[in-house]
Each structure stands twice: as structure tokens, then as C-alpha cells.
Amino acid sequence: MNLYQDRANGMSLKNITVTDQFWKRYRNLVKKQMIPYQWSVMNDNANIKITKEREDNRIPSEKSHAVANFLIAAGRQKGNHYGYVFQDTDVYKWLEAVAYTLKYAPDEDLQEVADQLIDLIADTQETDGYLVTYFMIEAPERKFKRLKQSHELYSMGHYIEAGVAYYEVTGNTKALSIARRMADCIDENFGPEEGKIHGYDGHPEIELALAKLYEATNEKRYLDLAQYFIIQRGKDPQFFDRQIEADGKDRDIIAGMEAFPLSYYQADKPVFDQEAAEGHAVRVVYLCTGMAHVARLTHNKKVLAACRRLWDNIVRKRMYITGGIGSTPIGESFTYDYDLPNDTMYCETCASVAMAFFARRMLENEPKGEYADILEKELFNSTISGVSLDGEHFFYVNPLEVSIEASRRDPGKSHVMYERQNWFGCACCPPNLARLIASIDQYIYTLDDEKQTIYAHQFIANRAQFDNDISIEQSSHFPWEGHIKFTIENPQRKHFKFAVRIPYWSAHHYTLHHSGGEISPESKNGFIYFDIHQEQFEIELNLDMRVHEIQANNRVKHDLDKVAIQRGPIVYCMEEADNPAPLSLYRIPNKPEFKYTYKPDLLEGVGTIEVEAERLEADPLDGPLYRDYRTYEWKPAHIHFIPYYAWINRQPGEMQVWVRKQL
């Protein structure tokens, strides 16, 4: 299955226009706020303060300097490289976001800026195709010599993604040529052949980038190289150590990274032997995304089986209710099954974006509703929580419980911010989120050419035009209302299947009406299938929009005797702006009566939930620290919930997702 086309069968989605009010606002935010703001920051023109994350003085925090690094490497400007070794990727992800934006909001001035950036990148690239500004400026003799830390293939992979996207939208052949030259450089230096490096980058990314480049060029050696990196990873656990020994043990590129085990890099064993998601969360899921994409393109069942195994471990044992992943700030990593603390968690925005990528690629391999369910969870919760409603403030970490005092005074929680920040020394998240939102049209439908099936798995209103003059209009006021309408126009009366997902949160309560008369749709793996041959066909789906109290597996000790509130795909939270702190003193009654209200003037328009509840009186500050046990006295209270993604857009304060439940 492929979103846009399959070269063998020719089935394709020719054009799609997002009409959804929720996502149009976010896409306009990308165009009008996020792209100009991020460009200003990366050119060091914005008057901002970059937070010293975790009070770690090793993290660059004076400026971005990302564009200046290219000017210096290209010989247009004098100076030294500033920032992380992978600083180039901020620019590349920004460029990719621009590409997708130009598709739905053409802008000659913006395209001219991007074209000039392409020219700069082309001028910077070396004759053999190599391009990583840190090594070009500071350490040309160390290229590909310390891959555990260097992020070289990671950085060039991000350009390859951007170059492909920019070429496909604008037709800029120089953008694609840069990408091909990069890939050719990598192919010249890496592979199983004698004389090449039999290794891989410490940060997976190149795998998914090469798969995209293969689809754009039909050059099979790019796909072969992507598969090589996947299969080679972990086969030689001493590879990194040998490189470090040769390069010099005391010459770290990123200080502190040598303390992490090989599992942090998914390099302790081959991917086929990895039973659980271990190490840095973004690395894991970028690798999985590349694996899933390559598995589809090569029909490699062994690689797909590894994807399924890691997917199951993440989703069933290591994922937060919002879709966040990575439960410790130490290495931004997974820890162990069911270890999901709410106030020390990491849940990097990039990790949630990566999970959306992974879910999309798994859907292309096999049409299972669970993949679309997780994609939906990511899109409506832990990705967009990473950006403020003004588009100019960001979260790197997305916690489920916040106390201002704890963030300020507990070193173990200093990574948990109670306000979104202007920018970061490691600024991977803001442009990553921009490119996801700008490309949201690519996440609504999936096509199965062999079975001639169109899968509608995300409820994002749109008008889509397919081959054979087939068009589909999806209309709704989702996620606030559960009425979804599909109008299918099929003037040539082609025979195909149309599949609609029934989300897990509505699986037991929904109604479905269609204009096909007496037919019984097939149901399989979370989808309802319709045989379409009529000139026009309408489907109306009404989903269960009741408020749900969600309970965690009782092995998650942090959530025992607590519930999370969810309505539709949206996870809700309590915020101090609406509920007097401490929030830990509230509890929901045994049989709550929730009241849902859509408030168009609150937080750019959100649905809110209220419930009559109970609250403990806080003990006096001068009271005893410990005392003999006595029964708590609960008093009537009122709880007001807002969507998790919208928290802290009004004033700093406490926040929590999980709330006590009266037993």
C-alpha cells in the first residue's frame, strides 16, 4: 500500500484539500507563525532566550547559528561552527515543512527564500556529495570516523527527506540533485563490499530517508542501502568501539554519550533479535519507521515481523495514554515495561512525531485499525501539545503532571517545564512538529493497489481526488463532534472497496448509515468495508462521543486508583488556571456525571468537561509531617478539564492528567 501511488498498478491519490477547521488552524499556524518565526531564530535574528535544558551547561544556548554554519562551510562567511554536530537538521526540517506548506498555501516570496536556501546548501555540498557543516568546518579529517556520536548519516538523511519533498512540490531539480549526491556519497562509503565501512550511524534516520529517495527516483541501490543499514545494525557490536579506538578515546564529539550502553543506539544485537524497545526513544522509532517502509518496498517479512514486535512492546507496555514515549530524562529513553511515571517522564515531542511516522508506515503494510488508532492518539494529543497556540513557544518534554515548585527545585524534574520555551539548544522538536502538521494531508487515506481499496482512517475533513475521476468528500466537526459524512463520487462506476475505521474508543457504540440499500458491510481489523460501484455513495458514521474514564493496567503503579478522562480522541487534563491547587487533592466520585461544553472563545475553541467531585482540605503548613492514621474527610468540589494539548496557554500553574477515583 502507498499513500499517493504505486508505480506497478497506478492507483493514486491525485489531490487532497484539507477543509477541517481544527487542522486548518494548525496548518495556518505553521504558515503564518511557525515558519517565519523559526527562520528568524535559525538566522539569529529573533530576540529570544534559549533555555539551558536541565541546567546542563554543555548544551549550546546562546543562539541557533544553524544558517550561519552553512554560510561558513560554503566559504561565504568567516567563523566557527556553533551548536550541536547535527545543527544542520533544524534547517532541513524547516525546509521540508516549507515544501508541504507551499503545496496547500503557495507563496512566491516564501518559495524564493527556500530556493535561495537550496542554492546555499548546493554551494556548501562538497564535490563527492558530503555535507555536514560541523565536520567541514571543524574536523574534515574525522568524517565517518566516529559514527556512534557524529550524526552524519542522520543529518544527511534529514536533508534527503527535505530535498525529496521540495522537489515533489516545486519541481526544483537542484533540491533532488543534492539529495542524490548525498546518497551517492553514502553509498560510496558504506556497504558490504570490501573497502567500504561495514557500519551505520549511531542515530537511525538514513534508513527512512533512503526509502523515500528510492520512491522518488526508482534507483534501487538506494533501497538496497537502506536495507543494508537495517540488517547490519547490531551484527557487529564492536564496530563503534573500534572506530573510537582509532579516532581517540578522549575526543568525544558529544560529551557524555560514551556512558550509554549499545542498547541506547539499538546496536547491541541485530534488529531481528530485539524483543523490546530499548534506548533513546526517537532513535528506536525512527529505526522502526525506516524498517516498516523498507519492509513494504522489499516485501521483507522478517523485517516486518521485527516491526510488529517492537510496535507491540511500545504500545502495550511502554506508551503513555497521550501517545508519549520515553519515560526517563536519562538518555531520553525507554526504561522497562509498565514504568510510566507522570511527573518525571520525558516524552519528547520528536518521539511522538516519530510514532506518527511509524504508525503511518505500518498502516501501509497492513490495514489494521490499531495503527490508525495510535496515529490518531499522537496527532490529537502528544504532538500538538509541543507547540503553543501562538506557534512561537514549544515543549521538548511533554509531562502528564507538573508542579512549578518541583520543576524549579527538584533536579530530577528540572527537565519538566511549566511554560513552553522560545527555543532550545537542541532544537529538533519545533521544525519536526512543523513538518508533521504541514503534511497532515498525507495521513488521512491509505491505498491498497492490489485489493483496489481506499482506507479512510483519520477523521480530518477534506476533499480528495483519486484516479478514474473518483472523488471523496469527508465532512465533520471532529474532534468535537462524532458525526462523519463521506460522499463518494464515482462517475465511471469503477469497482473498488472503501474502508472506514471504527476507532477503539467507539468500537462498542456507533451507528452507520449508507445509501447502498440492503447491503451488509464487511468488518475486519477495525475497518468497515463497502463495495463501491455506484455513481454516488454516501456514508454517515456517528461515533460514541461520551466521556470515558480510562484505567491503566494495574502494573502501572503510578496510576493505581486513578483515571484519565477522554472524549473521542482527546485526552483531558486538570489545570490550575481552572482548579485551585494542589491538584493531587481532588478525586472523581464513583458514579460521576460529566458535562461536556464546546467553548469557541476558549483556547482557540475547545471542548471542556466538568464534573462535581470531591477535594481534601490541605493540611496546614505548620501542621505535623506525620500523624496517626485517620480517615480523610472529603468535601464537595468542582473539576474543570481542558484538552491536554492546550494546557499552559493561559498562565503557569499545576497540571495533571491522572486523577484519583473514589472506589
Side-chain angles (χ1 to χ4, degrees):
M1 289 186 293
N2 193 0
L3 177 66
Y4 286 111
Q5 66 180 9
D6 182 278
R7 290 178 173 81
N9 296 291
M11 187 177 187
S12 66
L13 171 55
K14 297 166 67 175
N15 184 57
I16 182 168
T17 301
V18 172
T19 58
D20 188 277
Q21 291 304 306
F22 184 91
W23 287 106
K24 278 182 68 176
R25 195 197 78 79
Y26 271 101
R27 279 152 70 88
N28 287 336
L29 194 70
V30 170
K31 169 70 191 305
K32 296 177 180 179
Q33 301 298 136
M34 294 176 74
I35 284 176
Y37 174 77
Q38 291 179 19
W39 184 242
S40 177
V41 171
M42 289 187 292
N43 280 276
D44 303 327
N45 292 326
N47 182 21
I48 60 170
K49 177 183 177 182
I50 298 178
T51 301
K52 285 186 180 292
E53 300 161 38
R54 290 159 279 169
E55 298 299 320
D56 188 341
N57 291 324
R58 298 171 298 180
I59 298 176
S61 59
E62 294 178 16
K63 54 190 174 182
S64 166
H65 210 62
V67 174
N69 288 334
F70 285 91
L71 293 168
I72 294 167
R76 298 188 188 180
Q77 187 173 299
K78 299 291 185 181
N80 294 105
H81 184 277
Y82 183 85
Y84 276 115
V85 66
F86 49 83
Q87 204 84 343
D88 299 353
T89 63
D90 296 351
V91 176
Y92 298 153
K93 284 181 277 192
W94 179 88
L95 178 63
E96 189 177 353
V98 169
Y100 300 136
T101 302
L102 290 173
K103 187 177 179 182
Y104 67 83
D107 184 323
E108 290 183 3
D109 292 337
L110 178 59
Q111 186 167 341
E112 183 178 354
V113 171
D115 285 345
Q116 291 173 356
L117 175 60
I118 293 290
D119 291 341
L120 171 60
I121 294 170
D123 287 350
T124 307
Q125 189 174 32
E126 296 187 338
T127 56
D128 66 352
Y130 183 91
L131 205 175
V132 180
T133 62
Y134 171 81
F135 289 96
M136 294 168 68
I137 296 168
E138 305 293 345
E141 77 285 355
R142 297 180 74 185
K143 295 173 186 175
F144 300 141
K145 297 289 181 62
R146 205 182 189 93
L147 289 158
K148 189 176 185 180
Q149 297 180 353
S150 73
H151 289 72
E152 287 164 278
L153 306 189
Y154 168 84
S155 295
M156 286 195 276
H158 271 301
Y159 176 79
I160 290 170
E161 286 196 86
V164 168
Y166 198 75
Y167 165 73
E168 289 181 339
V169 172
T170 68
N172 186 310
T173 56
K174 184 182 288 189
L176 184 63
S177 176
I178 295 168
R180 294 193 69 150
R181 291 175 62 203
M182 279 186 182
D184 292 344
C185 173
I186 296 167
D187 188 38
E188 184 69 23
N189 284 276
F190 291 84
E193 297 86 0
E194 185 177 351
K196 292 187 177 183
I197 300 169
H198 301 164
Y200 40 83
D201 200 291
H203 196 311
E205 207 284 342
I206 189 61
E207 301 83 357
L208 66 94
L210 287 170
K212 287 186 176 182
L213 185 60
Y214 161 72
E215 289 188 308
T217 64
N218 209 29
E219 182 67 58
K220 188 173 181 295
R221 60 193 174 92
Y222 298 147
L223 179 59
D224 292 341
L225 186 57
Q227 184 164 243
Y228 169 78
F229 283 130
I230 291 167
I231 294 173
Q232 184 65 21
R233 182 169 290 275
K235 284 180 67 174
D236 178 8
Q238 282 73 51
F239 166 69
F240 286 146
D241 289 341
R242 287 198 304 273
Q243 276 208 321
I244 291 168
E245 186 72 29
D247 187 51
K249 288 188 175 180
D250 59 348
R251 302 179 72 204
D252 281 347
I253 294 171
I254 301 177
M257 287 199 69
E258 284 308 303
F260 295 123
L262 283 176
S263 58
Y264 176 82
Y265 308 89
Q266 302 78 54
D268 57 323
K269 63 186 73 169
V271 294
F272 305 121
D273 298 332
Q274 295 181 21
E275 298 292 333
E278 304 289 354
H280 184 263
V282 177
R283 282 174 164 86
V284 171
V285 187
Y286 273 3
L287 176 61
C288 288
T289 301
M291 288 167 61
H293 200 166
V294 168
R296 179 180 66 80
L297 295 172
T298 62
H299 308 289
N300 191 320
K301 294 181 180 179
K302 193 175 180 182
V303 172
L304 182 57
C307 290
R308 291 193 193 106
R309 186 165 59 250
L310 293 172
W311 173 277
D312 287 346
N313 178 248
I314 294 171
V315 170
R316 288 164 174 71
K317 297 180 180 180
R318 300 189 176 192
M319 174 180 282
Y320 285 87
I321 189 171
T322 55
I325 55 173
S327 53
T328 177
I330 308 302
E332 306 171 354
S333 297
F334 292 101
T335 53
Y336 55 92
D337 292 349
Y338 306 110
D339 180 41
L340 297 167
N342 297 306
D343 59 347
T344 59
M345 62 192 284
Y346 208 73
C347 290
E348 181 183 343
T349 300
C350 278
S352 295
V353 170
M355 275 302 298
F357 296 162
F358 186 22
R360 175 195 175 190
R361 295 304 178 191
M362 290 302 284
L363 270 167
E364 291 176 353
N365 277 282
E366 42 191 7
K368 292 186 176 180
E370 67 174 283
Y371 301 137
D373 287 339
I374 296 301
L375 174 55
E376 179 184 75
K377 182 185 289 289
E378 302 294 348
L379 293 179
F380 285 97
N381 297 288
S382 62
T383 56
I384 55 174
S385 63
V387 62
S388 62
L389 296 176
D390 68 11
E392 297 185 359
H393 298 83
F394 307 93
F395 275 145
Y396 196 102
V397 176
N398 294 274
L400 268 66
E401 182 176 323
V402 173
S403 159
I404 293 179
E405 187 172 22
S407 295
R408 286 175 174 170
R409 306 186 67 176
D410 182 349
K413 298 175 182 174
S414 62
H415 61 288
V416 177
M417 301 292 177
Y418 50 86
E419 290 183 286
R420 292 178 182 83
Q421 307 298 302
N422 292 139
W423 202 246
F424 307 100
C426 176
C428 50
C429 296
N432 214 7
L433 183 55
R435 68 174 179 153
L436 174 68
I437 295 171
S439 62
I440 199 70
D441 56 303
Q442 299 181 26
Y443 293 78
I444 302 172
Y445 299 104
T446 305
L447 309 184
D448 187 328
D449 305 278
E450 183 178 337
K451 297 179 180 178
Q452 292 292 294
T453 303
I454 299 172
Y455 293 88
H457 51 76
Q458 297 304 313
F459 304 120
I460 297 174
N462 67 89
R463 293 189 300 272
Q465 187 71 40
F466 299 80
D467 278 343
N468 300 315
D469 294 328
I470 296 169
S471 65
I472 298 174
E473 181 171 4
Q474 180 187 156
S475 57
S476 73
H477 189 43
F478 198 76
W480 313 120
E481 296 177 8
H483 178 74
I484 319 292
K485 183 178 180 180
F486 297 94
T487 301
I488 302 171
E489 300 288 345
N490 181 26
Q492 297 186 36
R493 294 182 176 269
K494 294 293 182 179
H495 286 250
F496 65 96
K497 288 183 180 290
F498 183 69
V500 179
R501 176 178 63 103
I502 305 300
Y504 73 99
W505 44 264
S506 187
H508 301 295
H509 297 90
Y510 67 91
T511 62
L512 190 63
H513 303 281
H514 52 82
S515 60
E518 295 298 323
I519 63 172
S520 299
E522 173 192 1
S523 177
K524 184 180 180 182
N525 290 330
F527 284 92
I528 302 292
Y529 290 77
F530 297 88
D531 286 307
I532 307 296
H533 56 83
Q534 301 90 334
E535 188 172 339
Q536 185 179 75
F537 194 88
E538 291 187 350
I539 300 168
E540 292 193 31
L541 174 65
N542 289 286
L543 297 170
D544 179 11
M545 299 303 286
R546 293 175 298 174
V547 177
H548 292 262
E549 297 176 89
I550 308 298
Q551 186 177 46
N553 185 303
N554 63 16
R555 291 178 176 83
V556 183
K557 63 181 181 181
H558 309 281
D559 300 332
L560 281 174
D561 300 333
K562 296 179 180 179
V563 294
I565 304 304
Q566 181 171 335
R567 181 181 182 274
I570 302 290
V571 175
Y572 281 73
C573 70
M574 302 172 63
E575 194 177 17
E576 189 176 345
D578 304 305
N579 308 282
L583 301 183
S584 59
L585 298 182
Y586 291 85
R587 78 174 181 185
I588 290 176
N590 182 261
K591 295 182 178 180
E593 294 184 6
F594 295 103
K595 178 185 177 183
Y596 170 80
T597 307
Y598 180 74
K599 297 182 178 179
D601 298 324
L602 178 66
L603 298 168
E604 302 292 342
V606 294
T608 65
I609 295 171
E610 297 176 74
V611 65
E612 297 303 321
E614 296 177 315
R615 188 178 187 274
L616 289 172
E617 287 291 334
D619 285 335
L621 294 175
D622 58 353
L625 183 59
Y626 304 103
R627 64 177 182 231
D628 287 337
Y629 175 79
R630 68 171 186 244
T631 303
Y632 285 128
E633 181 180 352
W634 295 90
K635 295 188 176 181
H638 186 83
I639 299 179
H640 186 279
F641 295 93
I642 64 165
Y644 169 76
Y645 75 80
W647 80 278
I648 220 65
N649 275 281
R650 293 173 289 178
Q651 62 191 55
E654 286 191 24
M655 182 277 293
Q656 71 178 41
V657 169
W658 292 93
V659 59
R660 288 200 221 184
K661 169 77 173 178
Q662 181 184 6
L663 301 180

